[in-house]
Amino acid sequence: MVLHNRVSAEELRKRLLSETFKRVTVSFYQYAKIEDPQAFRDQLYESLFKLGVFGRIYVAHEGINAQISVPEHHFEAFRDTLYAIDFLNGIRLNIAVDDDGKSFFVLKIKVREKIVADGISDPTFDMANRGKYVDAKGFNELTNDPETVIVDMRNHYEFEVGHFDGAIEVPSDTFRDQLPMAVDMLKDQKDKNIIMYCTGGIRCEKASAYMLHHGFKNVFHLEGGIIEYTNKARQQGLPIKFKGKNFVFDDRLGERISEDIISQCHQCGEPCDTHTNCLNDGCHLLFIQCESCAKKYNGCCSDECKEVYALPEEERAALRKGVEKGLMFNKSRRKRIK
């Protein structure tokens, strides 16, 4: 069996759109010791491929991190497959809050050095010494205390479109930079209750361990992140303290949590929280764009990119030569672009 995709992205997208069944977008992670990540990766790929699972999964010696799309009629078989793996038995599966079933179109499982790039090289750092889990009810109760410090461990472009009331932003677009920044920002509040949160729990769990490693005392992290919090709060009829959109790293680029629009179009400044990528492949800037500006700039971030995008493909390809790739999520801007 071939353990990687060999079909073009265009064809895969066509197949996805032609599917007649529903899909469920799911995320999960687990910090655990994996002796042979490559062998584990290959075995997992074979199992999930047979079930028609799409998505992005990272495997490392420290565990697994997954964002995937599962055919609804295969969901039980998928869950049984995971639960048959000792360290994944009973693992929490975060079901997407706002899902159109078109979040992924291919299965990619990659072996990485770490499941979250953290920049930590201290050999004494121990993920076993992590903060205390807090669920939706506990989060609401703790955050009713004005002395509780709420820390958002996501990137700027995620925070920009949605966050919890009163949350502190750690202003960076890389998690590895945020960890020491959070320690420095909160160094005078080591004895306060500190709650850390992120999208699905993986970053804030590691961040809680990092804070404890640096002498903080009362550190909590939101179980299952924003996704699990929202689902549980809705099920239990609890007030939802998150405002706006939850940014997600798939084709949806966001799931609606509340109707609040707390950000602005980066081009005209009108209220808007719709992320998009510049259609000029030589740029592919991630930015916020309203419908009016999408028409005006033809889905591009600037007049310059609009002009390039209008060129024949041969000319665009020539211009792209030598352009640095891989900037899709890191290349974000805070100022308006015109």
Side-chain angles (χ1 to χ4, degrees), residues 42 77 86 102 117:
D42 292 347
D86 285 345
K102 309 298 181 185

Side-chain angles (χ1 to χ4, degrees), residues 114-182:
K114 292 188 177 183
I115 54 176
V116 178
D118 54 31
I120 300 172
S121 57
D122 186 345
T124 66
F125 174 75
D126 185 5
M127 269 303 300
N129 182 29
R130 66 196 79 177
K132 302 171 187 174
Y133 273 132
V134 60
D135 59 14
K137 182 180 179 182
F139 180 91
N140 281 4
E141 290 173 350
L142 275 173
T143 54
N144 284 336
D145 181 352
E147 288 299 302
T148 295
V149 182
I150 312 168
V151 185
D152 192 314
M153 291 306 300
R154 301 172 305 147
N155 300 326
H156 167 72
Y157 49 85
E158 299 173 80
F159 184 91
E160 185 178 14
V161 294
H163 50 260
F164 281 105
D165 286 335
I168 295 174
E169 178 190 5
V170 185
S172 175
D173 279 350
T174 64
F175 182 64
R176 64 190 303 136
D177 288 339
Q178 287 179 316
L179 289 172
M181 288 174 68

Side-chain angles (χ1 to χ4, degrees), residues 5-17:
N5 173 61
R6 288 184 170 179
V7 183
S8 71
E10 182 180 358
E11 175 60 27
L12 289 169
R13 288 184 185 276
K14 287 181 181 178
R15 292 181 186 180
L16 175 64
L17 293 174

Side-chain angles (χ1 to χ4, degrees), residues 152-164 169-170 172-175 178 197-200 203 226 242-249 253-254 262-263 273 275 286 288 329-330 332:
D152 192 314
M153 291 306 300
R154 301 172 305 147
N155 300 326
H156 167 72
Y157 49 85
E158 299 173 80
F159 184 91
E160 185 178 14
V161 294
H163 50 260
F164 281 105
E169 178 190 5
V170 185
S172 175
D173 279 350
T174 64
F175 182 64
Q178 287 179 316
Y197 75 88
C198 58
T199 305
R203 285 176 285 180
I226 298 162
F242 189 94
K243 296 293 186 291
K245 258 186 178 180
N246 178 34
F247 184 95
V248 290
F249 292 85
L253 290 179
I262 67 171
S263 52
D273 59 7
H275 272 107
L286 176 71
I288 297 173
F329 287 114
N330 289 331
S332 58

Side-chain angles (χ1 to χ4, degrees), residues 44-64:
L44 186 65
Y45 187 98
E46 185 172 356
S47 298
L48 297 186
F49 181 83
K50 291 177 181 178
L51 296 176
V53 172
F54 296 155
R56 182 190 309 113
I57 301 176
Y58 297 139
V59 176
H61 284 292
E62 69 169 356
I64 183 172

